[in-house]
């Protein structure tokens, strides 16, 4: 028998390589490749003819999948309107961000709605989970609790219990005796997730898998199982901030990019129904460098404050520090300001930050970023009652963005009365908001900041 070749696997994305390398070619992660035991040959290929499968047409009608709501509105929305029966969901996030807390609250909420729910902890002893439940005021919730890491035993238990929903916290602690490598390895995580997902489909049980995001090292990250599940949610937030954001990055049963906002309190996670008000609550008197961006997250408008600081740099290569935004986007906007509007940032340190620990990915934030940079550089504060949004093209022109009316409506609701935005083909009418439509960035520089 031929000797099995050793196999090298990236713990971040699961790609396999023939030899070890410092950097994974598939996902670009550093130091993530480890040697794994080759997969055992198994019983060998089955010989025999396949049978033909029954085919249908696309026109066959399908009832919408039945959903169960938890009553936690922020969670239900991110799931696409509730939990779909027999679906597999991955909840990823940094260790300590609050995944276990969120899912304990979620299981209790679903249990209160009459679902039979099971919470399997592979990380904490049952007593620890009970202590947390007591702290959250959920000690009486009808959730069945198990502390186990042997997947074979868990599957047998699920088979007899037949719950509606089971939470596996976390997938990286689970192990199958048929796989040789250690728990947390790519092979184990993949095999365990595969078993659980196929169990979910076969038995009509919804499964929520918790996965820790790993920076580097020997533990496989949640990306390894992303393609196996129906829905991928990431729970994110900045350390030191109370806000936590549950973001759908993939959803077979609803819109991706939807977010739910929570606040970590002494008694667990509290839902934040009006995030704009919360994100702007720390805002003081208008200061140079601060701009309110009227954004859209999923289906919901959300106002956030973008802050910039521009200062002469003592360094040969000035600093560009970005928190909560894409740093490549900052470079592009700086280049457009320099090339199209004649405003140089050479020799200056630039710091850019989204207040409150929010992360903004929309291109519509371009104009708000540019305004924050200009405001900081020219030391001119924008009026406190103004919101900004719009995409900047490389030519310096401003492009209209989707959902202008929703953005204006949210701004008006929160007491703003002016907006700086791209020129619109069809005028948007929002009573109470004076809309300043700008064709390009040079116009903003001249009219708003009197520079250029
Ligand atoms: P946890 O849910 O254990 O995180 P994860 O499962 O993602 O690793 O949350 C841990 C943090 O949450 C911990 O630092 C303490 C904090 N926390 C609160 O602030 N309030 C609470 O009510 C609870 C239960 C936790
Ligand atoms: Mg945990």
């Amino acid at each position: 028998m031929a000797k099995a070749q050793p196999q090298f696997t990236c713990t971040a994305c699961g790609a396999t390589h023939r030899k070890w390398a410092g950097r994974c070619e598939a996902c670009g992660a550093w130091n993530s490749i480890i040697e794994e035991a080759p997969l055992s040959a198994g019983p060998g290929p089955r010989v025999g003819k396949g049978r033909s499968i029954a085919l249908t047409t696309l026109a066959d009608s399908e009832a919408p999948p039945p959903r169960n709501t938890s009553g936690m509105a922020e969670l239900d929305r991110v799931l696409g309107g509730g939990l779909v029966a027999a679906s597999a969901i991955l909840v990823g996030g940094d260790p300590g961000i609050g995944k276990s807390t969120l899912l304990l609250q979620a299981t209790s909420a679903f249990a209160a709605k009459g679902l039979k729910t099971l919470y399997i902890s592979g990380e904490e002893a049952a007593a620890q989970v009970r202590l947390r439940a007591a702290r959250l005021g959920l000690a009486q919730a009808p959730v069945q609790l198990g502390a186990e890491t042997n997947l074979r035993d868990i599957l047998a238990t699920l088979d007899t219990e037949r719950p509606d929903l089971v939470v596996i916290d976390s997938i990286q602690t689970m192990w199958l005796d048929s796989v040789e490598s250690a728990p947390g390895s790519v092979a184990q995580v993949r095999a365990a997730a595969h078993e659980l997902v196929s169990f979910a489909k076969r038995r009509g049980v919804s499964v929520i898998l918790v996965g820790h995001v790993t920076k580097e090292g020997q533990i496989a990250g949640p990306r390894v199982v992303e393609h196996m599940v129906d829905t991928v949610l990431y729970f994110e937030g900045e350390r030191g901030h109370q806000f936590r954001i549950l973001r759908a990055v993939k959803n077979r049963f609803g819109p991706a990019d939807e977010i739910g906002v929570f606040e970590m309190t002494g008694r667990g996670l509290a839902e934040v129904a009006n995030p704009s008000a919360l994100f702007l609550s720390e805002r003081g008197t208008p200061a140079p460098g601060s701009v309110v961006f009227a954004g859209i997250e999923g289906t919901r408008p959300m106002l956030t404050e973008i802050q910039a600081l521009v200062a002469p740099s003592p360094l040969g290569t000035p600093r560009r520090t970005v928190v909560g935004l894409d740093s490549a986007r900052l470079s592009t906007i700086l280049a457009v300001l320099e090339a199209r509007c004649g405003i140089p940032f050479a020799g200056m340190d630039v710091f850019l930050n989204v207040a409150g620990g929010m992360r903004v990915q929309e291109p519509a934030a371009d104009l708000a970023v540019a305004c924050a940079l200009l405001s900081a550089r020219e030391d001119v504060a924008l009026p406190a009652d103004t919101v900004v949004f719009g995409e900047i093209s490389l030519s310096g022109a401003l492009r209209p963005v989707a959902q202008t009316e929703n953005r204006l409506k949210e701004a008006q609701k929160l007491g703003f009365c002016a907006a700086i935005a791209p020129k619109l083909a069809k005028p948007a009418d929002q009573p109470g908001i004076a809309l300043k439509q700008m064709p390009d960035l040079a116009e903003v520089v001249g009219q708003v900041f009197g520079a250029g």
Side-chain angles (χ1 to χ4, degrees):
M1 202 179 127
K3 192 169 165 283
Q5 290 286 321
Q7 178 177 309
F8 296 89
T9 315
C10 170
T11 52
C13 70
T16 53
H17 303 271
R18 280 233 308 254
K19 57 182 199 294
W20 190 87
R23 182 168 190 251
C24 172
E25 275 178 21
C27 69
W30 288 94
N31 256 340
S32 63
I33 295 181
I34 54 159
E35 182 173 352
E36 283 209 331
L39 291 179
S40 53
R46 233 182 32 209
V47 198
K49 262 173 84 177
R51 71 191 161 80
S52 72
I53 56 170
L55 302 173
T56 62
T57 65
L58 289 176
D60 285 352
S61 67
E62 201 69 63
R67 290 181 187 269
N68 290 297
T69 53
S70 63
M72 290 168 78
E74 297 295 305
L75 174 67
D76 291 338
R77 189 183 41 248
V78 175
L79 288 172
L83 181 71
V84 175
S87 60
I89 297 158
L90 170 72
V91 177
D94 288 332
I97 204 73
K99 299 180 296 299
S100 303
T101 309
L102 174 73
L103 290 171
L104 194 57
Q105 289 182 245
T107 41
S108 309
F110 280 116
K113 290 270 179 164
L115 260 62
K116 181 168 179 182
T117 59
L118 231 73
Y119 184 97
I120 309 281
S121 177
E123 303 201 328
E124 293 161 302
Q128 264 174 301
V129 181
R130 255 183 250 120
L131 270 176
R132 186 199 305 257
R135 180 171 167 188
L136 299 173
L138 299 172
Q140 303 307 320
V143 174
Q144 285 179 293
L145 179 63
E148 184 53 65
T149 56
N150 183 338
L151 198 63
R152 194 84 48 213
D153 295 347
I154 293 172
L155 288 171
T157 313
L158 294 179
D159 228 357
T160 45
E161 293 288 334
R162 291 293 172 90
D164 299 306
L165 167 67
V166 58
V167 172
I168 304 289
D169 187 3
S170 64
I171 188 67
Q172 281 119 337
T173 55
M174 298 294 142
W175 60 278
L176 270 170
D177 42 19
S178 54
V179 178
E180 271 178 26
S181 37
S185 63
V186 173
Q188 278 288 6
V189 167
R190 219 181 239 161
H194 176 76
E195 288 285 334
L196 283 161
V197 172
S198 45
F199 179 87
K201 303 289 162 197
R202 211 167 52 233
R203 297 277 190 247
V205 175
S206 300
V207 178
I208 300 182
L209 309 176
V210 175
H212 294 296
V213 170
T214 50
K215 292 284 178 279
E216 59 182 43
Q218 303 293 303
I219 309 253
R223 284 188 57 190
V224 169
V225 298
E226 273 185 2
H227 63 279
M228 288 185 216
V229 296
D230 300 308
T231 302
V232 177
L233 310 179
Y234 276 93
F235 203 39
E236 23 178 79
E238 296 283 330
R239 295 269 157 124
H241 281 292
Q242 300 306 306
F243 315 125
R244 297 285 182 271
I245 289 164
L246 186 65
R247 189 185 292 271
V249 297
K250 159 182 168 180
N251 196 348
R252 285 188 187 143
F253 304 115
D257 282 339
E258 196 68 81
I259 70 166
V261 184
F262 297 87
E263 189 179 358
M264 184 59 97
T265 69
R267 301 201 57 210
L269 290 156
E271 294 182 68
V272 177
N274 188 351
S276 303
L278 189 73
F279 285 126
L280 296 181
S281 65
E282 291 165 8
R283 210 162 157 259
T285 48
S290 152
V291 166
V292 177
F293 164 54
I296 300 277
E297 290 289 342
T299 55
R300 185 159 56 162
M302 193 169 301
L303 305 190
T304 39
E305 183 190 352
I306 293 182
Q307 302 167 335
L309 177 66
V310 176
S313 177
L315 304 171
T317 312
R319 257 188 291 250
R320 302 281 184 253
T321 307
V322 188
V323 178
L325 283 151
D326 183 15
S327 59
R329 215 56 214 163
L330 170 65
S331 309
T332 310
I333 294 167
L334 288 175
V336 173
L337 280 170
E338 183 149 1
R340 308 292 178 196
C341 311
I343 305 218
F345 283 84
M348 294 181 188
D349 286 332
V350 175
F351 304 89
L352 193 67
N353 177 25
V354 183
M358 203 26 217
R359 201 153 58 86
V360 176
Q361 287 163 326
E362 260 192 299
D366 288 357
L367 186 56
V369 169
C371 285
L373 293 170
L374 285 164
S375 161
R377 190 183 184 282
E378 306 296 321
D379 206 23
V380 175
L382 273 189
D385 62 0
T386 302
V387 297
V388 180
F389 58 90
E391 188 179 342
I392 298 174
S393 72
L394 291 184
S395 68
L398 298 184
R399 285 203 210 111
V401 292
Q403 306 198 42
T404 296
E405 282 180 11
N406 281 343
R407 296 174 202 265
L408 296 176
K409 213 178 278 169
E410 177 81 357
Q412 199 260 338
K413 216 165 74 188
L414 283 144
F416 290 84
C417 40
I420 302 174
K423 222 179 182 70
L424 297 165
K426 184 169 70 76
D429 219 9
Q430 178 62 42
I433 296 264
L435 189 58
K436 291 187 198 136
Q437 299 185 40
M438 304 280 173
D440 55 32
L441 197 52
E443 189 93 3
V444 177
V445 171
Q447 287 213 8
V448 182
F449 297 98

